[in-house]
Amino acid sequence: MKAITISAYGDVDQLHEEELDIPQIANDEVLVKIKATSINPIDWKARMGFLKQMYDWQFPVVLGWDLSGIITQVGKDVKHFKVGDEVFARPDIYEDGTKGTYAEYAAVKEDKLALKPSNVSFEAAAAIPLAGLTAWQVIVDRLKVKKGDKVLIQAGAGGVGIFAIQIAKHLGAYVATTASAKNAEFLTNLGADEVIDYHEHQIGEALNQYDAVFDTVDDLEAGLAILKPTGKLVTIAGRPTQAQQDAQPSATSWWLQPNGKQLAELGDLVAEGEVKVIIDSTFPLTEDGLRAAHKRSQTNHARGKIVINVE
């Protein structure tokens, strides 16, 4: 199969096309013929070597954390999926460096899979898993947002922020977010009640007594300063210091846990129109395509998700 790999850590020129064997599946896995994948900041951070202290990968490494596609093979212990099912997932790729989704096929464990709703395109489905599940787990599971809560979501125009705003609004919260002025109308149309131009205003000048803060930019001090005493903060970009946790014990960090059941719930919201998938741009599964996609992501100015069409 065709895959885009890296054979060393470094810049985008490390991304190369390579022929690899189609993965062999375990008894609890399915083989997915990938139709689309997407780019997340973790992709280029991994490419640059920022994750090498966490994961002892051997080269070549196939990056990519999202997929949508069609099942072509099913392990003997798989109970709820069959050949021909259209699915999407955030697979496990941590055991070694060959399980990423910049490829034509991937092996996925059954519990990470969700059926793709028929009215959601493969491109849109591929944009959901990592960013959408991260937003879901923080807003629903960690912050436990409920109707009437006041929630700040940092960097609302990013891949995670866009999902988080919509999920929080679906739950009935009042949602504030930070963004540049050019994205204010866009985020208001997605459901944000208040958009703070971070170029012009400090958060503390505009907000106070908030129930929850979702930090995606590693600005914990600003987030903690606007919380109620009973409020909660979750960061996916940093780690609270001991002093910050002493002052606000509810301040925690979070790392996504792949979960097919939650992904299916999120897919239902997308299918029902409660949550919109915003695609910034699309690129092909080629060396030039992946290099351009990584460069686009590294600008930190993509509005929504960057999608890779595999076919």
Side-chain angles (χ1 to χ4, degrees):
M1 68 175 185
K2 179 173 76 172
I4 305 298
T5 70
I6 60 171
S7 295
Y9 295 119
D11 63 18
V12 295
D13 291 334
Q14 296 298 331
L15 292 159
H16 292 286
E17 183 174 325
E18 188 171 349
E19 286 293 317
L20 299 178
D21 291 337
I22 293 173
Q24 299 295 309
I25 61 170
N27 292 338
D28 61 346
E29 292 181 326
V30 306
L31 184 67
V32 177
K33 182 173 176 56
I34 300 175
K35 303 285 281 188
T37 181
S38 77
I39 304 296
N40 298 282
I42 194 174
D43 296 29
W44 50 265
K45 291 177 182 178
R47 187 203 76 225
M48 295 171 71
F50 295 163
L51 303 185
K52 62 184 177 182
Q53 303 258 338
M54 300 169 64
Y55 306 112
D56 185 23
W57 290 331
Q58 301 298 307
F59 293 110
V61 170
V62 183
L63 298 173
W65 271 262
D66 291 317
L67 67 77
S68 64
I70 301 171
I71 294 176
T72 61
Q73 188 180 346
V74 174
K76 70 180 184 66
D77 294 337
V78 172
K79 296 180 174 60
H80 303 295
F81 296 90
K82 64 184 186 302
V83 170
D85 281 346
E86 297 181 350
V87 294
F88 64 128
R90 196 302 217 160
D92 289 320
I93 74 166
Y94 296 124
E95 305 93 83
D96 61 55
T98 66
K99 296 179 180 291
T101 59
Y102 294 177
E104 293 180 309
Y105 290 88
V108 185
K109 292 199 176 294
E110 181 177 23
D111 64 352
K112 308 303 186 295
L113 283 170
L115 290 172
K116 182 185 75 65
S118 60
N119 65 337
V120 176
S121 69
F122 283 107
E123 290 80 5
I128 298 170
L130 187 147
L133 276 176
T134 299
W136 179 279
Q137 290 176 0
V138 172
I139 295 294
V140 177
D141 297 338
R142 309 298 296 177
L143 292 173
K144 299 187 184 301
V145 170
K146 61 185 184 300
K147 185 176 181 179
D149 281 353
K150 293 168 69 176
V151 181
L152 169 66
I153 295 164
Q154 293 273 50
V160 173
I162 286 171
F163 283 110
I165 288 170
Q166 296 181 86
I167 293 167
K169 285 304 295 182
H170 172 71
L171 294 171
Y174 178 93
V175 178
T177 191
T178 56
S180 60
K182 68 179 182 180
N183 284 320
E185 182 179 359
F186 164 66
L187 294 176
T188 300
N189 289 338
L190 282 180
D193 298 287
E194 193 170 349
V195 181
I196 300 163
D197 181 355
Y198 60 84
H199 294 295
E200 300 291 333
H201 301 287
Q202 298 294 318
I203 294 170
E205 297 171 355
L207 308 178
N208 62 79
Q209 294 296 297
Y210 263 58
D211 298 286
V213 171
F214 185 1
D215 171 69
T216 69
V217 295
D218 197 11
D219 189 9
L220 277 69
E221 283 296 326
L224 290 168
I226 69 164
L227 278 179
K228 292 178 178 178
T230 57
K232 298 177 181 178
L233 178 147
V234 174
T235 179
I236 59 169
R239 186 173 294 277
T241 64
Q242 187 60 55
Q244 288 169 334
Q245 287 193 307
D246 289 343
Q248 182 58 262
S250 67
T252 59
S253 58
W254 183 246
W255 187 266
L256 167 68
Q257 304 299 307
N259 185 305
K261 182 179 178 181
Q262 290 179 335
L263 188 57
E265 293 182 69
L266 185 52
D268 287 342
L269 291 183
V270 173
E272 294 161 6
E274 289 289 314
V275 172
K276 297 176 182 176
V277 176
I278 306 299
I279 295 176
D280 173 84
S281 49
T282 60
F283 297 88
L285 186 75
T286 62
E287 289 181 3
D288 289 344
L290 265 297
R291 291 171 184 176
H294 274 228
K295 288 180 180 178
R296 175 63 180 160
S297 181
Q298 284 182 249
T299 67
N300 292 317
H301 292 306
R303 181 190 282 186
K305 291 303 302 294
I306 300 165
V307 171
I308 305 299
N309 285 312
V310 176
E311 292 187 333

